[in-house]
Amino acid sequence: GLIEKLAQIDVPERARKMRAQQIWHWLYVRGAKQFDQMTSISKDLHTTLDAYFTLDRPEIVAEQISVDGTRKWLLQLPGEHEGERPHQVECVYIPETDRGTLCVSSQVGCTLNCSFCHTGTQRLVRNLTPGEIVGQIMIARDRLDDCIAAKDVPSDSPRLVSNIVMMGMGEPLYNFEAVR
């Protein structure tokens, strides 16, 4: 997907795979929040990327931290269409001694009416995009300081987020393509 996007902004074909790998590393290993943090790519490419893309995360409306370290974020997403009001979803991090589980939402609301789930009492507003789903993960990693931002941190350091489950708002199989 990154290679296709780079082709759309006229990155030379011979450089696309390398640039995609660099950008991927900066986004998902180092947690870059701005293109100009990506020191292994040119300033001209920073400018081009800034003109066409964003690295914005969802807005944190509220954060609750339990005594056991569990964290719950209420996140605000822009409306899907111009003029549409923002939507809110939840994302929860559950730390354990041997792992850290992140519960991620896949929809705003839900069509199912499961007796054990509060989300089922809310009407389905819309499916989340892949970017909105990944944005939840990036918010958690940012807030937990779970990215390798410093060069002196080994890339094989254990991560706080070790498991991701689709147990936030929505039924993930009803939004399979975005979840996949």
Side-chain angles (χ1 to χ4, degrees):
L2 282 173
I3 291 171
E4 291 171 13
K5 292 295 183 185
L6 292 173
Q8 292 173 8
I9 60 169
D10 297 326
V11 170
E13 185 175 359
R14 68 185 186 289
R16 289 179 199 153
K17 183 177 179 182
M18 178 188 66
R19 295 294 180 219
Q21 289 171 335
Q22 289 172 320
I23 293 168
W24 177 271
H25 178 83
W26 281 103
L27 293 177
Y28 301 115
V29 176
R30 293 194 176 268
K33 295 177 191 171
Q34 298 174 337
F35 291 111
D36 63 5
Q37 292 176 308
M38 300 178 183
T39 56
S40 60
I41 63 175
S42 72
K43 290 181 182 180
D44 288 342
L45 186 52
H46 292 167
T47 303
T48 303
L49 292 170
D50 259 333
Y52 290 95
F53 306 106
T54 179
L55 298 182
D56 289 347
R57 291 359 184 196
E59 176 188 346
I60 298 173
V61 175
E63 178 177 33
Q64 296 175 328
I65 304 173
S66 175
V67 293
D68 69 358
T70 297
R71 293 179 181 224
K72 182 164 100 174
W73 297 282
L74 180 62
L75 304 174
Q76 185 158 294
L77 306 169
E80 191 175 23
H81 307 289
E82 180 97 19
E84 185 179 35
R85 68 183 183 90
H87 303 293
Q88 295 179 341
V89 295
E90 290 184 342
C91 180
V92 179
Y93 172 72
I94 305 166
E96 297 185 52
T97 55
D98 60 338
R99 66 181 175 263
T101 301
L102 186 65
C103 298
V104 178
S105 295
S106 60
Q107 297 177 311
V108 178
C110 188
T111 59
L112 302 179
N113 196 8
C114 301
S115 60
F116 57 84
C117 181
H118 176 69
T119 304
T121 66
Q122 303 170 17
R123 69 178 180 82
L124 175 66
V125 176
R126 69 177 176 89
N127 288 330
L128 298 184
T129 66
E132 291 168 332
I133 294 168
V134 172
Q136 295 170 71
I137 299 165
M138 300 310 292
I139 282 288
R141 292 183 66 207
D142 291 348
R143 299 298 291 178
L144 296 167
D145 198 23
D146 195 29
C147 292
I148 301 168
K151 289 184 180 179
D152 58 344
V153 177
S155 61
D156 62 348
S157 295
R159 298 298 187 130
L160 295 175
V161 176
S162 60
N163 299 316
I164 298 172
V165 295
M166 303 303 297
M167 293 185 66
M169 293 177 76
E171 171 50 52
L173 294 177
Y174 286 177
N175 188 15
F176 182 73
E177 285 305 311
V179 169
R180 183 173 64 92

